[in-house]
Amino acid sequence: MVDQEHFEPVIIGFTCNWCSYRAADLAGTARVKYPPNIRLIRLMCSGRLDPTFVLKALAGGADGVLITGCHPGECHYLEQNYKALRRFLLLRRTLVAMGLEPARVRLVWASAAEGVKLAHEIETMVAEIRALGPLRWGHNGTASDSAHDTHAYAMAGQEVSP
Amino acid sequence: MTTQPQGPSQSEEKIGVYVCHCGSNIAGTVDVAEVREWAGQRLAGRGVTVARDYKFMCSSLGQELIEKDIKEQGLSRVVVAACSPHLHEGTFRTACGRAGLNPYLCELVSIREQVSWVHTDKHAATDKAKAVVSGGVERVRHHVPLVPLRVAIHPDTLVVGGGIAGIQAALELADAGKKVYLVERDPSIGGHMAQFDKTFPTLDCAACILTPRMVSAGNHPNITLLTWSEVTEVHGYVGNFTVKIRQRARHVKTELCTGCGICQEKCPKKVIDDVYEAGLGYRKAVYTPFPQAVPKYPVIDVENCTYFRKGTCRACEKLCPTGAIDFAQKDEVLTVQVGNIILATGYDLFDPQRVTQYGYGRLANVFTSLEFERLTNAAGPTNGAIVLRDGKTVPKSVGIIHCVGSRDRNFNNYCSAICCMQSLKFAHLVKERTGATVYNFYIDIRTTAKAYDEFYQRVLEEGTLFVRGRVAEVTDAARLPGEEGKLILQVEDTLAGKQRRIPVDKVVLSAGLQPRADAKATAQVFGLSCSADGWFIEKHPKLDPVATMTEGVFIAGCVSGPKDIPASVAQGSAAAARVLSTIDKGEITLEPVRASINATQCSGCRICNTLCPFGAISFLEADRVSEVNPALCQGCGTCVAACPAGAISGTGFSNDQVLSQIEGLLMLNVAYA
């Protein structure tokens, strides 16, 4: 079983090439520390975020999804972050209806200058999801342990022992 | 229980994984050998045939490693786990290209900025690095060979802002034979520099060195000067910007006006000049801001002109010898095509009224630095006499407060860079012209540029007094003998370690610089981003200080942060050099990140049509499908995400690429200690 006391969430973060990805770069350059639970994906714009990506991440074993983009009015592509906001609000409603805690999917605006802010948001989110516990969508509804690892073995073409 | 990721089957791809140590930058936190070994074993089934780690992948030896493997092992895909793609993506793509592999079949994943530099737990960092590598491997399997887009560069350039940085940039380009549109919001070019009297540290007169530049810019056959004008819209992309410029009605026909100045002389309406004279002097309702204005043509200030307010007067019209006054003139909108844009829109002075304890606006003899510049200027309201607000009394003692609104958590954290030298200049001028006792209240003296510290030594030797400490308060409430009728500066002298009250006749607040009040709006028009302080962000603060994230838009001068005149001029030239290189090349290459619509899958629903802010998607009535114009598409991918039929794909960031990367990232469940 997953050890509840030592549960460490895995969070997939979607970043915008122009703001939040650079904020992550900046956090790195400035050696700002944040928990290693987040794994970032670079998109050209938060407007590129297909809601499917979020569902895929949650279904694939992520315990939460962080969506980041440029501040309102500062989109590199003029206004596409507003479209991301629209999709996010609709998606979250759907996810909540499916029983997901709203804290697991989060939208944060972070400009290229806000490395510290991004790190802080990640830290907060990791702490909140750690408190919520594992999502287990990636476990196909079963409570088998280390599903990610079996996934890994399967993907690596190795034998899976149930 | 799990599905194999879709995409090419395992046997098709041969992927090389290269893990960089970056000296100890990565290897100090991430066990690179373990990551390499893990990738080579666990990801073998995903097509990884070569896995290596190396001290510095970006070195020529590191690059050769990749090239050799592509040639000898027949790699079809490359994943480099190193620094941010914003740093070295180009390096590794080029290396792949040299070895005959399409550069876009290479993926750089960040295990430095996103792993080793931000995490401390070595075990967790190593595991995360593995996950990041596996995300990259899954993603790269779906990369397709791409060819960069080539874009022709329109040879004309737009320079926005006619201060010294903008003038410099425009002249550099014009002298190289390129056409420039120089747009300035005020009636004349010249910017803040035109308001100054002397320039530090050489003390040469600002007008003497600036005016020739202004005249050159005004007369240059390659420069179209558009003053009293503002850029309202920018469309297009590098090489092909379409810019709309609103030219406000001058109400003076420039083709007839000789600049004789009779209209200004005869205009009966006096207006306080709070722009050029910093509120200390008057101008007329028809005016040029200063005698050396370029262009020489005046403008009519409609809000204050008696004719526009009351329908009578017309004195200027009656007395103009050439009949150049035209009350009926309307604003005009010009549309110009340019290939590049240089933004040099400058700064605003910090409003010292916000620092209420210094009493500006309440205590008459507290002045801002800009007011003081005008007072010392021979062409200013007092003809250069340094006097009190009453216009006649010469002060016997002057206190100059540094860092007003700068290096202050209540206002701006940053150092405004110019205030120390400006304050020293003021101290020298007061000493020279009045012989008054001068106090400088400073936190630190920062005189870093050429000949600056020598100037500081000179001011010290002249007998200016320096008190180290931030002034707590400026007050006219006398408590001690000798304080009556004076302004008293309450300050902790941090060198002497005691509180002091210093009575003076006049206080000058060396106010800092801050971004233009409308900087955000400007950033939006040009598609740029601002830092938290509001300064425009350069592409790289050290290595690319005049470029921005938006291709074809450059910045120069104080628009990216406080700068002195030499630095602003250098940036003007630098931005011009960057523009010249693209013009001379004739074309540039762009990332081929674009959307395209598969016509057979498109249902013609038109959802995407309204989503594109660049108007790149049009609906073909005949075929009942939508189409993307790749020249207008910027590659944001919003339409890709919105298409309900999945008919739109985005090169470089396709659904397959992102979905596979998600799977890859989630392959390994990190077990934390």
Side-chain angles (χ1 to χ4, degrees):
Chain A
M1 292 294 290
V2 174
D3 185 346
Q4 288 288 353
E5 280 182 26
H6 293 103
F7 164 65
E8 285 296 338
V10 173
I11 297 168
I12 294 289
F14 293 96
T15 56
C16 154
N17 180 56
W18 306 99
C19 57
S20 44
Y21 193 87
R22 285 167 205 266
D25 275 358
L26 181 65
T29 313
R31 314 297 200 274
V32 178
K33 304 296 177 208
Y34 57 83
N37 307 58
I38 188 132
R39 298 167 193 179
L40 298 179
I41 291 179
R42 176 165 67 126
L43 303 174
M44 289 309 282
C45 176
S46 54
R48 175 65 183 90
L49 187 90
D50 189 327
T52 318
F53 297 169
V54 179
L55 295 170
K56 172 85 179 179
L58 295 173
D63 300 294
V65 172
L66 176 66
I67 303 158
T68 59
C70 305
H71 283 273
E74 290 180 15
C75 179
H76 183 78
Y77 302 100
L78 307 178
E79 55 194 31
Q80 307 303 60
N81 50 354
Y82 291 108
K83 281 139 199 168
L85 173 65
R86 244 148 60 177
R87 284 182 197 142
F88 166 75
L89 293 172
L90 280 170
L91 174 69
R92 194 169 61 174
R93 240 160 96 175
T94 313
L95 288 171
V96 169
M98 291 163 76
L100 191 95
E101 298 91 338
R104 289 191 192 271
V105 180
R106 182 179 300 220
L107 176 70
V108 164
W109 307 128
S111 80
E114 293 178 327
V116 173
K117 179 189 172 180
L118 184 70
H120 175 73
E121 293 285 352
I122 291 171
E123 202 172 342
T124 315
M125 185 168 181
V126 169
E128 283 187 30
I129 295 185
R130 193 183 284 128
L132 284 173
L135 179 64
R136 296 174 198 278
W137 279 13
H139 295 220
N140 270 352
T142 65
S144 76
D145 61 41
S146 62
H148 299 291
D149 273 337
T150 50
H151 186 183
Y153 281 104
M155 287 180 73
Q158 298 182 13
E159 279 299 310
V160 182
S161 49
Chain B
M1 63 172 277
T2 51
T3 51
Q4 289 283 328
Q6 293 162 1
S9 72
Q10 296 169 14
S11 57
E12 275 177 27
E13 301 303 344
K14 283 184 167 178
I15 305 172
V17 170
Y18 300 86
V19 187
C20 182
H21 297 215
C22 196
S24 63
N25 279 308
I26 294 170
T29 313
V30 171
D31 187 338
V32 284
E34 190 184 322
V35 175
R36 182 252 306 145
E37 200 181 315
W38 180 87
Q41 290 175 2
R42 288 289 185 88
L43 301 179
R46 305 302 301 153
V48 174
T49 52
V50 176
R52 298 186 195 280
D53 63 275
Y54 189 70
K55 202 100 185 141
F56 287 105
M57 280 310 299
C58 62
S59 67
S60 48
L61 289 174
Q63 294 180 49
E64 278 163 22
L65 217 56
I66 299 176
E67 290 170 50
K68 194 161 162 271
D69 286 346
I70 292 172
K71 286 181 192 149
E72 291 176 4
Q73 316 245 4
L75 295 183
S76 61
R77 298 283 191 274
V78 168
V79 174
V80 183
C83 52
S84 166
H86 289 147
L87 221 59
H88 271 308
E89 191 170 62
T91 310
F92 296 115
R93 279 182 176 172
T94 311
C96 289
R98 274 199 302 269
L101 186 69
N102 183 286
Y104 294 90
L105 299 177
C106 168
E107 173 80 0
L108 174 55
V109 293
S110 171
I111 58 166
R112 192 179 73 172
E113 282 82 352
Q114 286 181 25
V115 181
S116 66
W117 276 353
V118 288
H119 305 322
T120 41
D121 178 340
K122 290 187 180 177
H123 180 61
T126 304
D127 276 351
K128 179 170 167 182
K130 290 177 190 168
V132 170
V133 167
S134 102
V137 167
E138 291 306 316
R139 190 183 201 282
V140 83
R141 289 161 56 85
H142 297 274
H143 281 213
V144 289
L146 298 172
V147 181
L149 299 169
R150 300 165 92 92
V151 178
I153 299 287
H154 193 288
D156 297 354
T157 306
L158 171 74
V159 177
V160 188
I164 186 61
I167 292 173
Q168 181 73 16
L171 281 175
E172 295 272 13
L173 288 162
D175 286 344
K178 313 299 177 195
K179 300 261 183 240
V180 179
Y181 298 94
L182 178 56
V183 176
E184 167 60 48
R185 178 153 64 179
D186 286 340
S188 168
I189 56 172
H192 280 103
M193 189 176 167
Q195 293 173 279
F196 302 159
D197 178 37
K198 298 278 185 277
T199 54
F200 57 74
T202 46
L203 298 176
D204 38 2
C205 118
C208 309
I209 55 176
L210 177 65
T211 315
R213 292 295 174 107
M214 290 165 60
V215 172
S216 302
N219 293 338
H220 208 294
N222 287 334
I223 298 180
T224 307
L225 193 57
L226 300 165
T227 53
W228 205 232
S229 302
E230 277 183 275
V231 175
T232 53
E233 281 177 46
V234 176
H235 294 290
Y237 50 92
V238 55
N240 294 283
F241 291 106
T242 306
V243 182
K244 282 196 177 162
I245 302 163
R246 188 170 68 96
Q247 209 172 8
R248 292 167 68 188
R250 279 191 118 85
H251 299 293
V252 170
K253 290 181 192 156
T254 51
E255 64 277 16
L256 295 179
C257 177
T258 60
C260 69
I262 289 179
C263 54
Q264 300 189 56
E265 206 176 292
K266 300 296 179 189
C267 174
K269 178 73 183 176
K270 270 179 145 186
V271 184
I272 291 181
D273 184 357
D274 47 16
V275 179
Y276 184 70
E277 291 293 4
L280 293 179
Y282 291 91
R283 62 166 169 82
K284 296 295 184 63
V286 55
Y287 71 105
T288 52
F290 50 100
Q292 308 94 323
V294 173
K296 61 193 172 192
Y297 320 117
V299 296
I300 293 181
D301 165 13
V302 172
E303 272 160 37
N304 289 301
C305 170
T306 311
Y307 170 72
F308 279 103
R309 289 176 56 120
K310 295 180 183 157
T312 59
C313 181
R314 307 182 85 124
C316 51
E317 192 185 34
K318 282 174 213 148
L319 294 163
C320 175
T322 59
I325 302 290
D326 177 7
F327 291 115
Q329 224 174 49
K330 294 266 174 297
D331 291 3
E332 277 178 47
V333 176
L334 302 177
T335 305
V336 300
Q337 290 293 129
V338 295
N340 290 283
I341 296 172
I342 297 173
L343 280 176
T345 50
Y347 65 91
D348 279 341
L349 198 69
F350 173 80
D351 174 13
Q353 218 156 335
R354 292 172 63 196
V355 193
T356 49
Q357 63 270 32
Y358 290 170
Y360 178 71
R362 182 160 48 81
L363 304 170
N365 288 316
V366 178
F367 289 77
T368 68
S369 38
L370 203 56
E371 284 177 331
F372 191 77
E373 287 282 359
R374 294 311 301 154
L375 282 185
T376 56
N377 194 309
T382 59
N383 300 321
I386 298 172
V387 288
L388 300 184
R389 195 73 72 172
D390 64 9
K392 50 180 194 266
T393 315
V394 177
K396 291 196 176 56
S397 50
V398 176
I400 301 169
I401 305 180
H402 294 220
C403 300
V404 175
S406 308
R407 302 184 67 197
D408 185 338
R409 286 188 179 194
N410 299 307
F411 304 104
N412 294 314
N413 281 328
Y414 54 81
C415 167
S416 285
I418 54 106
C419 327
C420 278
M421 283 304 291
Q422 167 183 271
S423 305
L424 295 173
K425 177 183 77 177
F426 291 166
H428 168 81
L429 292 174
V430 172
K431 240 353 194 198
E432 183 185 67
R433 296 194 190 166
T434 68
T437 307
V438 187
Y439 298 91
N440 267 254
F441 300 91
Y442 69 99
I443 309 176
D444 298 291
I445 294 288
R446 294 181 172 176
T447 49
T448 51
K450 189 178 180 185
Y452 282 13
D453 205 62
E454 290 88 327
F455 186 74
Y456 172 39
Q457 299 303 329
R458 175 180 169 184
V459 173
L460 275 173
E461 280 163 23
E462 285 170 356
T464 294
L465 302 167
F466 286 81
V467 179
R468 185 173 176 273
R470 190 185 271 286
V471 173
E473 187 187 23
V474 178
T475 176
D476 57 356
R479 272 203 334 237
L480 303 169
E483 289 185 354
E484 295 84 5
K486 301 267 187 185
L487 293 171
I488 303 105
L489 293 116
Q490 174 78 47
V491 61
E492 182 190 352
D493 185 330
T494 57
L495 292 181
K498 64 175 185 185
Q499 286 287 335
R500 294 177 70 178
R501 284 172 68 82
I502 298 175
V504 295
D505 295 326
K506 175 173 184 157
V507 171
V508 181
L509 304 179
S510 213
L513 313 189
Q514 62 183 25
R516 289 278 186 198
D518 57 358
K520 287 236 156 128
T522 308
Q524 232 175 323
V525 168
F526 293 92
L528 301 183
S529 38
C530 295
S531 70
D533 292 319
W535 303 108
F536 288 8
I537 301 180
E538 51 281 76
K539 194 166 195 172
H540 192 285
K542 289 156 221 147
L543 301 178
D544 215 349
V546 295
T548 66
M549 304 290 183
T550 306
E551 291 280 347
V553 179
F554 298 88
I555 48 179
C558 287
V559 72
S560 60
K563 271 169 211 75
D564 54 16
I565 293 169
S568 298
V569 170
Q571 286 213 330
S573 294
R578 294 295 304 275
V579 169
L580 275 175
S581 74
T582 68
I583 299 176
D584 281 355
K585 239 204 259 167
E587 63 173 26
I588 63 158
T589 51
L590 291 182
E591 282 291 276
V593 176
R594 293 292 181 268
S596 60
I597 298 178
N598 180 340
T600 55
Q601 274 177 281
C602 175
S603 67
C605 72
R606 302 201 206 186
I607 284 175
C608 56
N609 291 198
T610 54
L611 284 176
C612 181
F614 308 104
I617 307 178
S618 52
F619 187 68
L620 303 177
E621 285 292 345
D623 304 324
R624 311 293 299 162
V625 292
S626 297
E627 189 188 54
V628 176
N629 176 352
L632 292 175
C633 175
Q634 303 286 299
C636 69
T638 305
C639 59
V640 185
C643 180
I648 313 182
S649 57
T651 46
F653 289 84
S654 69
N655 279 347
D656 283 343
Q657 284 170 317
V658 179
L659 291 171
S660 307
Q661 190 179 4
I662 295 170
E663 284 197 27
L665 286 173
L666 291 171
M667 247 177 81
L668 182 81
N669 189 23
V670 176
Y672 294 91

